[in-house]
Amino acid sequence: MSYNIKVTKIKESKVSKIDFDNITMGFNFSDHMFICDYENGAWQNPRIEPLSLIPTHPAAMALHYGQAIFEGMKATKGQDGTPLLFRPDENAKRLNFSADRMGMPQFPEDLFVEALKQFTAVEKDWIPTKEGSALYLRPFMYADEPFIGMRAATSFKFIIMGSPAGPFFSKKIKLYAEKKYVRAVNGGTGEAKAAGNYAAAIRPTELAKEKGYDQVLWLDSQDFEYIQEVGTMNIFFKIDGKFITPDLSGSILAGITRMSVITLLKDKGFEVTERPIKLSEIKEASLNGTLEEAFGAGTAVGIAMIEEIGNEDFTLKLPAENPVSNMINDTLNAIKVQKEQDKFGWIVEAK
Ligand code: COI
């Protein structure tokens, strides 16, 4: 289906005010937003317009019951300057998976991709070209119907906005193995990219930071024994030459970077197994010297090397060298800027 997206451009761009050598993700926003309204059972009026405040009724249901979901993506530039997206069709599918779980309407996947392409083309001057930098894209949907009763809303907004971003972590990270709070339970919303999952993680993450860690390593909700994921990413371990990552057991986010890393590792000849992983297995591997590398994988962070995992009861130091993690990071970054051949067909030109 072809969509007519009305474009209204800003009078004067703010892009010249950005120091692209020094950008922390999430503080600066590009000039425009894509916005579309769900009313009377249909998505209507798709448009790109200058980024502005959105009038919101105090009874908007997202504010009360958390009917809100989001995606994270990154736009880069190819060697000839063409704006590029990475696997936008996967984000479209995941958004609709989240929407289904949260009782929200499906957003047409072809409109999702088309909107992203047009938005990214309009904002192309906001895409940083320094290695490891990108224009972070945040598609999201929320219930804006004013209603106090408890049921699925009938009106929603879908918006895409952009924030230029440098590397998320400038150093290796330390993970706090959380034994009190949980992120998700089977049958809960952990598999969805629901705003509430992140709300529930904020306080435990603050506490972990107070103890000197960077992010929380979430464990299973029943026994606090199985590794699930890290604050904003999935996790991989290399033990005795082979990679393992927790399987998508029903409470773990199906990361698009995660699935890409699995493909890349296999393509480079590594064995990768998705299966339940006990924290005790990682401690054991560390003790017997077979734990070789560990890294987090997510859109915002890319590949984040892990140097330590611990809590009040134990400290586990990872080896200093991360040859395969570095290689995967470099390969992923090179594919995203068309320095390396896109043999899996992941890149979509935004023009
Ligand atoms: C992403 O990696 O895109 C995320 O959604 C993480 C975000 C909470 C910083």
Side-chain angles (χ1 to χ4, degrees), residues 90-251:
E90 293 295 342
N91 292 90
K93 278 191 235 157
R94 193 173 63 182
L95 180 93
N96 280 336
F97 175 85
S98 303
D100 183 61
R101 176 63 184 86
M102 303 304 288
M104 300 167 81
Q106 297 286 292
F107 192 80
E109 290 179 14
D110 53 353
L111 176 56
F112 181 96
V113 175
E114 185 55 33
L116 274 160
K117 281 186 181 177
Q118 289 202 29
F119 176 79
T120 306
V122 167
E123 302 295 58
K124 66 177 184 315
D125 293 342
W126 285 86
I127 303 174
T129 48
K130 202 171 164 187
E131 203 183 322
S133 300
L135 178 62
Y136 184 81
L137 302 171
R138 174 51 64 82
F140 64 106
M141 187 199 295
Y142 67 95
D144 68 349
E145 183 191 357
F147 181 61
I148 290 290
M150 173 53 192
R151 57 153 169 77
T154 58
S155 70
F156 294 85
K157 287 222 176 332
F158 172 80
I159 297 177
I160 302 170
M161 59 185 187
S163 173
F168 199 87
F169 290 117
S170 48
K171 58 172 190 61
K172 292 188 181 188
I173 58 170
K174 296 185 183 180
L175 305 183
Y176 180 74
E178 177 61 67
K179 290 259 181 173
K180 177 177 177 197
Y181 300 106
V182 296
R183 175 188 172 273
V185 298
N186 282 347
T189 59
E191 269 186 314
K193 209 159 167 63
N197 292 342
Y198 294 80
I202 286 174
R203 185 65 184 136
T205 306
E206 280 180 351
L207 292 171
K209 284 185 178 167
E210 281 170 19
K211 293 174 191 136
Y213 295 88
D214 299 290
Q215 289 214 344
V216 171
L217 176 67
W218 295 109
L219 302 173
D220 78 276
S221 59
Q222 258 184 319
D223 306 312
F224 291 91
E225 208 169 273
Y226 289 94
I227 291 173
Q228 296 208 316
E229 60 181 82
V230 178
T232 59
M233 51 197 163
N234 299 110
I235 189 163
F236 288 78
F237 299 95
K238 180 167 172 257
I239 298 179
D240 211 7
K242 296 173 188 164
F243 280 89
I244 53 173
T245 188
D247 56 326
L248 301 176
S249 56
S251 53

Side-chain angles (χ1 to χ4, degrees), residues 12 16 35 39 54 63 65 67 86 106-107 117 128 132 140 147 152-153 199 221 232 244 313 316 320 326 329:
E12 201 185 334
S16 60
I35 180 160
E39 271 158 27
I54 312 161
L63 301 179
Y65 309 120
Q67 256 192 317
F86 185 74
Q106 297 286 292
F107 192 80
K117 281 186 181 177
F140 64 106
F147 181 61
S221 59
T232 59
I244 53 173
D313 303 327
L316 188 160
N326 277 318
N329 188 34

